[in-house]
Amino acid sequence: MGRPGGLRARAPIAAIVAGCVALVGVAIIGGAKPMPGLDLVQTGHWIYSSVLGSAFHIDGSGKQADAQVPVPGLDPGSRVAQGPTHGYVLPPSSVVEFGKSTLSVEKTTPSPANEWPVAVETKGGPYGVYRQAGVVIRLGDAAARIVVGGRLGDPVATADGRLWLHRIDDGLLCELAPGADVVSCPIAIPGRHKGSLALTAEGPVFVDSDDDTMRKVSSAGLGDPVRLGVDLPDTAVVAANDVEGKLAILDRPGAKLHLVGPAAAPVSVPLPPGDYVGLVSSGSVVALVDKGNRALTTYDGAGRKRDSRPIPGGVEHPPVRGQDSRVYVDGADGAHVLVVDPGGQVNDVAVTGDRKPAETPVPVTPPTPEKPADRPETGTTPPASPRTEPDGRPVTPKPQPKVPVPASPPGAPRSVSATPGDASASVKWGAAAANGAAVTGYRISWAGGEKTVGGRVLTTPITGLANGTSYTFTVSAINRAGTGPAASSSPVTPQARISVPGVPVGLHVRIKTGDTDAEVTWRAAPANGSPVTAYHVSWRRADGSGSGSHRVAGSARAHLIRDIGIEQPLTVTVVAENSAGRGATATFTKPRGDEPSDRSITISRGADTTAAGCSPPACAFIRIVMSGFTPGKMLTITCHTGEGVHGSETRQVGPDGKLSFDEFPQGTIGRTVWITAESVQSKKLVWK
């Protein structure tokens, strides 16, 4: 069996099955003594390979697997927790203990529940937390089985080894002191709110997703609530440790990563579409796993992206935090572990080790005796007799096995090109040479961003670009040996799509009392990618007489038609023009007759009332005051809200052109209401 520095046969570690199994790492206080025969301290990350039947230690700083323990026959996906001198493989059915100095299994015991536990590495531990059964086991010399009771949320552990647990069903927070065999549950969460435990520099906190607050947690109880400044869903996932003093919170339905803290404004990072299965903070960066796109992305405490890599073979479980300020993500293909350094850089570590003799038998050939180097020759050596089979036929030499060529990073992608679009571009390339290991991804970068796609993808859209800005796209290939040289496209410049303008908005014709001039007004038409250069105004009477047209500047919003009269209805059209041509036409027909000037509608809250589904103090009429309308004319008055038309009433204008009344009961606080009559609209009123 291999030892550090002597792992011989290289083979991939098994894929790990799906399951929300997390490993919580807390830095150990004080230095650990080196173990006899193995220079490993309680750092790095242990994983289990069911293919090789072994547990492997991953050295995060050296970026290599440096120790292997044979543990055959366990479930794929079994987690490994480590204490100062021993490691523990935790499949659902048992606990397998091995020595870190002997690199051999020393004891196997049944597990307290048939479920995947959460492994917690901390002072006084490690622990296995069985969340559905509500049981915690302490591993090591002071082993104990501790019943907490009820379903548990994800635990957190402080630097002194104190374990905090959330009893979900009854809303209690429980404390397990180092060395204790029973838990204390002194804290009741107000209203049994939903939430999660997390650890900050000042100690543990409870993040309440019902009222979007956090509270400090201590043996004395909960602290005062502190607003987070973001709206959290019930399904919010909170990283167990803070990042640069901020809590990292994943909003999966909203596709956002929130970074919140009491000393700074919250930062919300939009995330691309994906299936995010977990996040972990190393203290300096956040590692976020996207199972849908098989990608690992890191962010710093300010929300800036630090690195992004494809996860070789995909991912079936959340990332874990090691005790060396690093984050580890195991590839589902079992051949790789991604190691996130404290600065956010992602490194791909190949997991290899010795195969069992039964799996790869190696024939042994006795060595040929050699003449001692200090013995002088005494004569000519007779020629060797040819070797023959028992039947006298000469022995045919067997072909020597080919020595495998080590994999190297891929070659450069071929024929990189880009096609510009509207605030976007489409990037294409030819496949890169694999160089001994399959290409697992391509990284595309440009000024202002980067994107990583799978190893079989040869074209991808890039969005969110600035129109009118030149971009060059660089593509590099990735395999398990590293990242190869890059190739670039020629510069391209995205441009907005240009089409004819839209319809001018709000076209209206007004003829003042006693006047024969018609005032035409409108609001700007949508430009659709090119500025409006002109508006074309046309008009005609109902009998076809008095027709005319006029071209006005693109900045104009009005035109006066002189001496058109009021004897007949008047139809006016306005169409906008840009570099692509003329757009659709807006049309307005002015009825025959005088129209009083200075018409207005004013609204306010009226008398309280009671109506169906509406009661005081919120319920009241709208007070409507109208003036400047045609005396004696029957008007249709319509009430509007943000949801649509609320109702209509027909009323007669008074002899003075005025009309006042209370109508249209309202009872929804915060609703916006307004009134229209003919072409006149009141100001909008927010109901209070």
Side-chain angles (χ1 to χ4, degrees), residues 600-678:
S600 67
I601 303 175
T602 303
I603 63 173
S604 60
R605 181 188 174 99
D608 290 349
T609 186
T610 300
C614 177
S615 58
C619 191
F621 289 108
I622 299 176
R623 179 64 178 169
I624 303 169
V625 178
M626 307 172 62
S627 63
F629 288 82
T630 302
K633 188 173 183 179
M634 298 298 295
L635 297 180
T636 298
I637 298 98
T638 303
C639 175
H640 306 264
T641 71
E643 292 79 25
V645 174
H646 187 67
S648 295
E649 281 284 325
T650 301
R651 302 262 179 152
Q652 187 174 22
V653 179
D656 58 354
K658 297 181 179 180
L659 180 61
S660 301
F661 60 99
D662 281 6
E663 192 53 75
F664 309 117
Q666 300 293 318
T668 303
I669 302 300
R671 171 185 280 172
T672 300
V673 298
W674 66 94
I675 299 295
T676 61
E678 294 190 336

Side-chain angles (χ1 to χ4, degrees), residues 144-488:
R145 181 180 184 273
I146 302 140
V147 177
V148 183
R151 294 181 303 130
L152 303 176
D154 288 337
V156 297
T158 58
D160 63 357
R162 198 170 301 272
L163 199 64
W164 284 94
L165 304 141
H166 176 202
R167 277 189 2 196
I168 297 174
D169 295 332
D170 54 11
L172 295 179
L173 297 182
C174 302
E175 177 186 19
L176 178 62
D181 292 340
V182 295
V183 296
S184 170
C185 300
I187 301 173
I189 300 170
R192 298 187 181 180
H193 282 189
K194 298 180 180 66
S196 305
L197 287 164
L199 193 65
T200 69
E202 297 182 358
V205 297
F206 181 75
V207 178
D208 191 324
S209 57
D210 279 352
D211 62 10
D212 302 326
T213 63
M214 69 174 178
R215 297 168 179 256
K216 292 183 179 179
V217 176
S218 69
S219 301
L222 285 177
D224 294 331
V226 177
R227 302 295 302 177
L228 296 175
V230 293
D231 184 16
L232 300 181
D234 290 344
T235 56
V237 179
V238 184
N241 302 86
D242 65 356
V243 52
E244 297 181 354
K246 298 178 181 178
L247 295 177
I249 305 175
L250 172 61
D251 177 357
R252 297 181 67 184
K256 292 180 181 178
L257 171 64
H258 299 297
L259 298 163
V260 298
V267 175
S268 295
V269 181
L271 301 174
D275 179 13
Y276 296 96
V277 297
L279 78 166
V280 165
S281 166
S282 68
S284 55
V285 293
V286 177
L288 182 63
V289 168
D290 178 0
K291 181 179 178 181
N293 294 311
R294 297 184 173 187
L296 170 66
T297 305
T298 60
Y299 300 87
D300 63 16
R304 295 183 293 259
K305 186 165 72 171
R306 308 303 300 173
D307 202 354
S308 182
R309 294 289 180 91
I311 302 174
V315 65
E316 295 295 340
H317 46 77
V320 300
R321 179 189 181 191
Q323 297 189 355
D324 51 5
S325 299
R326 290 179 174 84
V327 172
Y328 298 85
V329 180
D330 301 339
D333 64 356
H336 299 263
V337 174
L338 296 186
V339 180
V340 180
D341 284 337
Q345 296 80 15
V346 181
N347 305 273
D348 187 351
V349 176
V351 179
T352 57
D354 294 339
R355 286 191 180 273
K356 293 172 285 186
E359 295 176 275
T360 56
V362 179
V364 178
T365 302
T368 302
E370 296 182 356
K371 177 178 66 64
D374 58 349
R375 180 179 297 174
E377 291 188 4
T378 58
T380 302
T381 302
S385 300
R387 298 176 59 194
T388 60
E389 299 287 358
D391 59 2
R393 290 182 296 106
V395 174
T396 302
K398 294 182 179 180
Q400 295 298 314
K402 294 182 178 179
V403 178
V405 178
S408 59
R414 298 177 291 105
S415 305
V416 178
S417 64
T419 303
D422 184 1
S424 65
S426 177
V427 182
K428 297 181 180 180
W429 60 92
N435 292 345
V439 173
T440 57
Y442 289 95
R443 182 180 299 121
I444 305 94
S445 59
W446 63 95
E450 69 174 27
K451 178 180 182 180
T452 301
V453 297
R456 296 184 178 180
V457 177
L458 299 177
T459 181
T460 188
I462 306 297
T463 59
L465 305 178
N467 285 329
T469 300
S470 177
Y471 291 90
T472 298
F473 297 92
T474 299
V475 184
S476 55
I478 305 165
N479 67 9
R480 61 180 172 83
T483 301
S488 298

